[in-house]
Amino acid sequence: PAVPGPALTVARGQLRIYLGAAPGVGKTYAMLVEAHRRAERGTDVRWPLREFKEQVDRLARGLVQLGIQRGDKVGVLSPNRPEWMLANFALPKIGAVLVTINTHSRQQELAHILGQAELRALILQRSHRGNPYLQHLQALLATGDYPEFRHAILLDGEEPGTLPFAQVVAAAGRVKPAALAERQAQVAPSHRWQ
């Protein structure tokens, strides 16, 4: 039988995000399951809408604290996971542009995206299915060809030269909710990037 694809549903005030499961895996796992298991077996996360909005706002405020500006391009290089969904909502909230990157991209494709999109930051996991995303990024940044790039935000752990995702979210405490509301008020659907 077919495996259900990603879904976002709302029922009785709950936001339900189902991120898929590998064939033959009959279970879904809670958000607290280790990242490597989560990436391969799917995740079933349930957030009340208020909690989901609070988490999106925390990430948005953390990105503002990091210096992400309206119009900045921020890439996401990761298979589906809850943090991906938070970034999907947080980035446009502050006027940043979400640049999705195919999880099969190798170093050459990543080089093209870094240059073409002029990424300011990249939210990524260390690797996926033998594709060492972080290693590719580090090799590219060592060339000095990407002066606009500022931040590698690592979803799974800590590495020199990266910021842990949790640290970015924790930085939200330094940005008042009113500052986020002001920033969001400056964003309009007519803002386009070329």
Side-chain angles (χ1 to χ4, degrees):
V3 176
L8 178 92
T9 58
V10 178
R12 289 187 231 131
Q14 288 265 328
L15 177 66
R16 185 171 191 264
I17 303 169
Y18 179 74
L19 299 174
V25 178
K27 296 181 179 180
T28 57
Y29 292 84
M31 194 164 124
L32 298 177
V33 174
E34 291 114 346
H36 71 279
R37 291 177 67 198
R38 190 180 333 149
E40 294 299 338
R41 296 192 178 163
T43 301
D44 187 9
V45 177
R46 295 171 191 255
W47 281 311
L49 290 176
R50 181 177 293 125
E51 182 182 337
F52 180 71
K53 181 187 179 306
E54 288 169 0
Q55 290 201 38
V56 166
D57 287 353
R58 276 194 297 274
L59 177 57
R61 290 175 21 227
L63 291 166
V64 167
Q65 175 64 28
L66 200 56
I68 301 298
Q69 300 294 318
R70 186 173 79 194
D72 283 351
K73 287 83 169 188
V74 178
V76 176
L77 178 53
S78 168
N80 291 336
R81 54 189 293 160
E83 298 90 343
W84 206 114
M85 188 63 69
L86 296 175
N88 187 51
F89 283 87
L91 288 165
K93 193 169 223 180
I94 62 172
V97 178
L98 170 65
V99 178
T100 59
I101 302 173
N102 186 314
T103 57
H104 297 288
S105 295
R106 297 293 178 172
Q107 189 168 324
Q108 183 178 356
E109 291 89 6
L110 185 55
H112 178 76
I113 293 164
L114 280 170
Q116 272 312 107
E118 298 177 336
L119 291 184
R120 178 71 54 171
L122 178 61
I123 300 170
L124 74 159
Q125 70 181 47
R126 188 180 318 270
S127 66
H128 178 64
R129 294 186 178 174
N131 192 352
Y133 305 143
L134 182 58
Q135 185 179 359
H136 293 327
L137 179 64
Q138 290 168 329
L140 292 169
L141 294 178
T143 67
D145 292 341
Y146 308 97
E148 64 286 334
F149 190 84
R150 297 285 180 269
H151 307 288
I153 302 167
L154 194 58
L155 293 168
D156 53 351
E158 296 184 34
E159 282 287 330
T162 68
L163 293 167
F165 185 84
Q167 183 178 329
V168 174
V169 173
R174 293 182 236 140
V175 176
K176 295 185 186 303
L180 175 59
E182 184 178 314
R183 177 79 171 269
Q184 188 175 355
Q186 297 171 5
V187 177
S190 64
H191 290 135
R192 295 188 182 142
W193 64 279
Q194 297 296 326

